[in-house]
Amino acid sequence: PGLNFGNGFYNDHHFHYGYMIYAAAVVANYDLSWGRMYYEQVLALIRDIANPSIHDRYFPVFRHKDWFLGSSWASGIATLGGQPYLNGRNQESSSEAIHAYEAIGLYGEVMVRAWGGGVSSDLSKNDNANRASRVRDMGRLLTATEIRSAERYWHVLHGDLASNTIYPKVYRPSAVGMMWNTMCQ
């Protein structure tokens, strides 16, 4: 138990799949034909963690993203003894969330090039380039909101820099290790 970090309960998908998406972006950057061959498979990983479509029957819309806070939640439907965690959802690695969303943006950027930049005489290549540009832009948006959220919720400012902090003065650590719905550790 625990060897897959709760993947079957939708835990940490953006952390783990982000590494695979990044690897796919790197490989596709050096081998555009590989990128075109495995485009749909990589998009399935992206749709699992960053699906923008309410019409997708297979994946939820932005599985981990909390658009109000700007950050993501790593925990899926995990329970403790059959009951939800008392502290609610959590995320322990803002850096891995940022990495996952940056990987999506990089993959989209590479695949725009792989499909000819949208100026091909082949209309299906242009459609794929257009789709890849939307993937790139979505990855950029997710990355930007995750970075802003990390600066707000995970990096704790003190002294003269603390004028915009959300934490009370008695909270002394300079970073949050794990953020829950109800508390920070």
Side-chain angles (χ1 to χ4, degrees):
L3 296 178
N4 66 3
F5 300 96
N7 189 276
F9 293 100
Y10 306 107
N11 287 347
D12 298 346
H13 280 201
H14 59 318
F15 296 164
H16 301 157
Y17 297 0
Y19 291 105
M20 292 182 260
I21 295 164
Y22 180 78
V26 170
V27 172
N29 186 53
Y30 292 100
D31 187 347
L32 297 178
S33 64
W34 183 95
R36 289 188 298 270
M37 183 183 314
Y38 293 102
Y39 185 58
E40 293 299 328
Q41 290 85 341
V42 177
L43 284 182
L45 291 172
I46 292 170
R47 286 170 49 217
D48 186 278
I49 64 173
N51 178 27
S53 176
I54 61 171
H55 304 292
D56 192 323
R57 299 179 331 179
Y58 302 103
F59 297 100
V61 176
F62 298 106
R63 182 185 303 279
H64 297 283
K65 192 69 172 176
D66 182 326
W67 287 102
F68 179 76
L69 293 176
S71 61
S72 298
W73 296 109
S75 55
I77 57 172
T79 61
L80 187 59
Q83 298 296 316
Y85 290 123
L86 293 176
N87 295 327
R89 298 175 296 175
N90 67 72
Q91 176 155 283
E92 71 280 359
S93 182
S94 57
S95 61
E96 283 183 300
I98 292 166
H99 172 266
Y101 299 138
E102 185 177 33
I104 292 169
L106 292 171
Y107 183 75
E109 180 71 25
V110 168
M111 292 312 297
V112 166
R113 192 166 41 88
W115 293 114
V119 293
S120 172
S121 59
D122 182 336
L123 293 180
S124 68
K125 285 185 177 181
N126 289 341
D127 288 344
N128 282 328
N130 184 350
R131 208 161 122 198
S133 72
R134 292 192 316 262
V135 167
R136 176 201 60 213
D137 295 346
M138 179 186 56
R140 289 175 175 174
L141 173 64
L142 290 164
T143 302
T145 58
E146 201 74 30
I147 289 170
R148 188 166 193 266
S149 177
E151 290 171 348
R152 179 104 174 125
Y153 299 108
W154 274 267
H155 304 163
V156 183
L157 303 174
H158 298 289
D160 293 339
L161 301 173
S163 63
N164 200 24
T165 188
I166 61 169
Y167 294 100
K169 289 182 181 186
V170 296
Y171 189 83
R172 298 309 315 153
S174 59
V176 169
M178 181 178 280
M179 188 166 85
W180 297 80
N181 280 110
T182 60
M183 67 177 208
C184 294
Q185 286 180 296

